[in-house]
Amino acid sequence: MTFNDDARIDTGKVTRRRGGKAAAIGGGGLIGVLVLVVASQLFGVDLTPLASTLTGGATAQEETVELEDCTTGASANADDECRMVAATDSLDTFWQDQFSSGYRKPEVILYSTATESACGSASAAVGPFYCPADESIYLDTAFFTTLRTDFGATAGPLSQMYVLAHEWGHHISNLTGQLSQVGRETGASSGSVRLELQADCYAGAWVRDASNVTDDRGTAFMKPVTEEEIADAMNAASVIGDDYIQRRSGRDVNPDSFSHGSSEQRRRWFQTGYRSGATACDTFSIPAGEL
Ligand SMILES: [Zn+2]
């Protein structure tokens, strides 16, 4: 999904931190169970190693910089970080319109290597995540390279934006109150899986309308999505499915340990949002066998 070159992008909706260093792993800080579940949303990682990563020490010497080169759609087509900035502007505008009241924008924090969040230290080992405690999305665009090298994904422009839109979906579930009702349980029809599939569905809902979302001068941010781009996003959804990850790491597929949903489910719920919009994303009301 490409941006119109002359779309005007508000760069003020994203924070770019630089200079973060990987922190020493250690400490035993108590981290909310919910946060752990949410923080692991893209990787099918076990929660235990994630906990040690997240409780690492503080990173120092970090500064916030302006992404002043990301003001046009053309820059978003050429650069991964600018693409995240532009997608943030589009997502924010889209979701604002979906709520009659009670909408708040999440913070979007781009970082390199490591940074601090209210949910603990973020690093490449964790992958992109949404932290409900500070209502922020943390993303290192180096993750897109990881998607290619470690997950064998295409990781093209739309799948990169799917990752951000998925995290944004967690924020929406937080605003609606559904996120706070989910605990640490795993399993094919668990709350964790329902929450993840809901985020995939919300991502699809944004893609459905993305070419109709306009900047402050009325120029559409994006061109209509192509079949090829949808295939790229579906590919990303597949490679972060629990069954795919378990198989890829040499384990037997065990639905009882699912926390994110199977590849097939993730693709399907993205498509549900894409075909039917955000109102079709109530994964919590679906009977277990039909999820
Ligand atoms: Zn997730």
Side-chain angles (χ1 to χ4, degrees):
M1 187 164 228
T2 51
F3 288 86
N4 286 310
D5 283 346
D6 57 349
R8 188 158 65 183
I9 311 301
D10 179 355
T11 61
K13 295 180 177 180
V14 170
T15 299
R16 178 63 168 98
R17 296 181 185 170
R18 281 196 210 286
K21 300 224 167 31
I25 305 263
L30 243 178
I31 288 192
V33 161
L34 170 67
V35 167
L36 282 176
V37 170
V38 174
S40 67
Q41 75 286 83
L42 276 169
F43 273 69
V45 293
D46 294 324
L47 297 175
T48 322
L50 187 70
S52 61
T53 308
L54 279 175
T55 51
T59 56
Q61 290 114 33
E62 231 182 357
E63 54 169 2
T64 299
V65 296
E66 287 270 313
L67 286 164
E68 54 198 13
D69 295 333
C70 297
T71 55
T72 63
S75 68
N77 289 331
D79 178 87
D80 286 357
E81 287 203 340
C82 292
R83 185 172 299 117
M84 293 300 104
V85 172
T88 291
D89 202 357
S90 172
L91 279 158
D92 185 41
T93 308
F94 169 76
W95 282 111
Q96 186 106 47
D97 285 351
Q98 298 290 309
F99 279 71
S100 49
S101 66
Y103 175 75
R104 295 185 298 277
K105 189 186 91 60
E107 291 299 315
V108 176
I109 296 164
L110 301 180
Y111 70 96
S112 301
T113 311
T115 196
E116 281 298 300
S117 81
C119 301
S121 297
S123 75
V126 185
F129 67 96
Y130 172 71
C131 174
D134 57 13
E135 297 195 352
S136 299
I137 293 165
Y138 292 85
L139 192 149
D140 179 346
T141 55
F143 174 71
F144 302 137
T145 306
T146 306
L147 266 183
R148 281 188 205 108
T149 56
D150 296 8
F151 290 77
T154 47
L158 187 59
S159 56
Q160 295 180 10
M161 291 189 273
Y162 154 68
V163 170
L164 178 66
H166 171 99
E167 302 309 338
W168 207 291
H170 285 314
H171 177 65
I172 300 305
S173 303
N174 191 19
L175 294 181
T176 62
Q178 286 187 298
L179 183 146
S180 65
Q181 290 164 28
V182 174
R184 191 178 178 166
E185 73 278 8
T186 60
S189 58
S190 63
S192 309
V193 166
R194 291 174 187 275
L195 195 65
E196 295 302 329
L197 297 177
Q198 181 165 65
D200 288 335
C201 184
Y202 283 153
W206 167 70
V207 172
R208 170 189 174 85
D209 275 343
S211 65
N212 298 320
V213 181
T214 58
D215 67 12
D216 55 7
R217 290 179 304 188
T219 302
F221 284 116
M222 296 182 184
K223 297 175 180 168
V225 68
T226 66
E227 286 300 312
E228 212 172 33
E229 289 163 340
I230 290 292
D232 172 44
M234 295 278 113
N235 171 262
S238 291
V239 303
I240 51 182
D242 285 318
D243 52 343
Y244 181 92
I245 289 172
Q246 287 176 353
R247 233 178 266 122
R248 197 171 170 85
S249 61
R251 286 176 282 165
D252 290 333
V253 173
N254 175 13
D256 290 342
S257 68
F258 281 8
S259 56
H260 299 70
S262 70
S263 297
E264 185 275 325
Q265 284 176 309
R266 301 199 69 166
R267 281 197 305 270
R268 182 157 45 77
W269 279 100
F270 175 88
Q271 271 174 319
T272 297
Y274 179 63
R275 291 192 184 127
S276 308
T279 53
C281 297
D282 189 7
T283 53
F284 291 89
S285 69
I286 306 289
E290 297 165 28
L291 193 62

